[in-house]
Amino acid sequence: PNRVAVGCGDHTIRIYEDRPFPASQPPPEKSLAETKFVWSGLQKLHLSWISFHPSLDNLVVFLSDGGSALGCYDLSMEREMYLSPDKIGIQHLEWRIEEPALEGEGAGEGHRATLYTLQAGKLNAWHRDAKQWGDMHATKVFRQVRLAACLESVGETSPVTVRAFSWSDCGKYLAVATGSNSIYVCTDEAKGAHRSASKWNQAGGDGEINVIVRMRARSESEGANEGCASPITCVGIRHSRAEAGRPGGVLTVLAGRKDGSIRITKVMECAVESDKDSEGGYKMIFEEEKSDAHNHRVRSIVGNSLSNHWASVGEGEQCVKVWSCGSDGHGDMELGGHQASVLSVCWSRANPHSLYSVGEDQCMRLHSLKV
């Protein structure tokens, strides 16, 4: 079953079943049914982020003390499997879920998940076998992804620092926001190649990385408003496959900024790389600036892999903003209900047009976009 994990301020982890309900009706009162409550071994931890492992049942990965430590917890055994040394300083983390390899190493393994973290301006990849983290030497658990040479070759200022990153839902594309306030979309797969094992190996970062799109921050001297120069605080990327009447798939990239603005960019995969308006087989087709998206710094942007919607959260705000980047009939909206700042959001897997939010008011809310 689909489940939602919540790390609570009372040093507990609570698990809820993500139940389907009719899209045209409000979520039923009992739709948030708690199915598990664990506390053993968590008494000294202050949980600030939590996620189910994408492919290992009953294993959750968490951040403690605002990113100082990362650990994993086995829900079936109710015990901590791994806890990193204190003060590793994780600023952001995401799973990369790769599509099954068609040939070569990893063929037949199904979807593979790798955890990536942002620490001190560097991107790190964690070893794929999370259950073995506790038995490995500290230098083997994660390793830095070598982005510097790749980004410098296309004009990024040295030394390269990463401000934010995000993986596409298919695991093929990586969006990186850098210290120069530019965004690069990268891939480690040759265009048109058959899907094989990732060139970024289990420890991460040894393969060839290719920049396919650079979105350079415009300066005020180029006629941009103040919002365009504001530092990027978070990014999100989603890949939509080609549809009838369209030559290629579309990459949608959202960038949240310190001043609360959000920039939306769409890039199309061109069927013919010689298209005079394309660069390396990719062509920018749409840009939109939402200068008043939030009143304060954008904390996070989360895309829905089952629809064309995105959710964003602003620092200190009691609502969730939802942005429509498609043509499915639902426009931008604001979802309220919390009595204190919203801390985190995630999309429901059982209900494509629903999302969960948790806040400092100690409440979790389930929102439906179609009601």
Side-chain angles (χ1 to χ4, degrees):
N2 293 309
R3 296 174 294 174
V4 179
V6 181
C8 301
D10 58 357
H11 314 287
T12 63
I13 296 175
R14 299 167 189 261
I15 308 300
Y16 297 84
E17 185 178 350
D18 183 20
R19 297 177 176 176
F21 59 86
S24 59
Q25 298 178 12
E29 292 184 6
K30 295 184 178 181
S31 58
L32 295 180
E34 185 179 302
T35 60
K36 195 169 186 65
F37 169 90
V38 295
W39 57 270
S40 178
L42 301 173
Q43 295 90 333
K44 296 182 179 181
L45 300 176
H46 299 276
L47 303 177
S48 54
W49 180 92
I50 192 167
S51 169
F52 273 103
H53 191 287
S55 56
L56 298 176
D57 290 340
N58 292 315
L59 191 73
V60 294
V61 175
F62 62 83
L63 277 186
S64 176
D65 299 305
S68 293
L70 182 144
C72 59
Y73 192 94
D74 191 314
L75 295 172
S76 58
M77 302 175 66
E78 296 194 8
R79 71 180 182 90
E80 179 186 289
M81 302 291 291
Y82 168 79
L83 186 65
S84 67
D86 285 339
K87 299 182 180 180
I88 60 173
I90 294 177
Q91 302 158 266
H92 178 66
L93 67 171
E94 274 191 27
W95 292 103
R96 180 192 190 185
I97 304 175
E98 298 178 75
E99 295 182 343
L102 300 179
E103 57 186 33
E105 180 187 353
E109 291 183 3
H111 289 80
R112 297 174 299 162
T114 305
L115 184 67
Y116 285 77
T117 58
L118 175 59
Q119 298 162 246
K122 305 299 181 183
L123 184 64
N124 295 301
W126 290 61
H127 196 281
R128 283 205 184 101
D129 194 349
K131 289 186 175 181
Q132 300 300 318
W133 289 350
D135 299 325
M136 300 172 65
H137 190 275
T139 60
K140 302 291 186 181
V141 179
F142 65 87
R143 193 166 65 185
Q144 183 178 325
V145 177
R146 300 189 180 102
L147 285 172
C150 169
L151 300 186
E152 288 173 4
S153 69
V154 291
E156 176 59 23
T157 305
S158 180
V160 174
T161 58
V162 178
R163 283 185 176 176
F165 77 94
S166 182
W167 281 101
S168 65
D169 44 332
C170 64
K172 179 179 176 180
Y173 298 102
L174 170 67
V176 178
T178 61
S180 68
N181 223 28
S182 296
I183 296 176
Y184 298 86
V185 179
C186 312
T187 183
D188 60 347
E189 179 182 276
K191 192 175 188 296
H194 290 292
R195 185 66 192 173
S196 59
S198 170
K199 295 178 185 175
W200 296 359
N201 62 21
Q202 288 190 336
D206 278 344
E208 179 184 358
I209 303 169
N210 302 306
V211 175
I212 60 172
V213 178
R214 180 188 182 188
M215 303 172 194
R216 186 171 61 89
R218 292 170 292 182
S219 65
E220 293 185 44
S221 62
E222 295 174 296
N225 57 31
E226 183 180 354
C228 290
S230 180
I232 295 171
T233 56
C234 57
V235 294
I237 182 171
R238 182 175 181 272
H239 177 244
S240 302
R241 299 184 186 279
E243 299 175 356
R246 197 170 63 190
V250 172
L251 291 169
T252 304
V253 180
L254 272 71
R257 298 195 182 92
K258 187 176 181 179
D259 66 356
S261 63
I262 291 177
R263 182 181 181 184
I264 302 173
T265 306
K266 290 190 177 185
V267 178
M268 184 174 67
E269 298 172 316
C270 299
V272 181
E273 293 195 21
S274 59
D275 186 327
K276 63 181 177 66
D277 295 322
S278 72
E279 182 177 348
Y282 297 86
K283 178 181 178 181
M284 197 171 296
I285 58 174
F286 176 83
E287 282 188 284
E288 180 182 359
E289 188 77 26
K290 295 184 179 293
S291 59
D292 56 352
H294 291 275
N295 296 322
H296 305 284
R297 168 182 173 268
V298 184
R299 292 186 56 168
S300 63
I301 295 178
V302 183
N304 186 351
S305 62
L306 303 176
S307 75
N308 290 311
H309 291 97
W310 296 75
S312 62
V313 177
E315 190 81 47
E317 297 182 10
Q318 299 179 12
C319 63
V320 179
K321 297 289 185 72
V322 176
W323 314 103
S324 176
C325 295
S327 56
D328 53 5
H330 297 274
D332 302 342
M333 62 188 74
E334 180 177 310
L335 305 176
H338 284 282
Q339 302 303 311
S341 301
V342 177
L343 298 174
S344 181
V345 295
C346 72
W347 291 95
S348 167
R349 292 188 176 276
N351 305 284
H353 291 277
S354 299
L355 63 86
Y356 295 90
S357 63
V358 292
E360 290 184 343
D361 56 0
Q362 302 179 28
C363 290
M364 179 169 72
R365 302 187 68 88
L366 174 57
H367 309 267
S368 174
L369 307 188
K370 284 199 169 184
V371 176

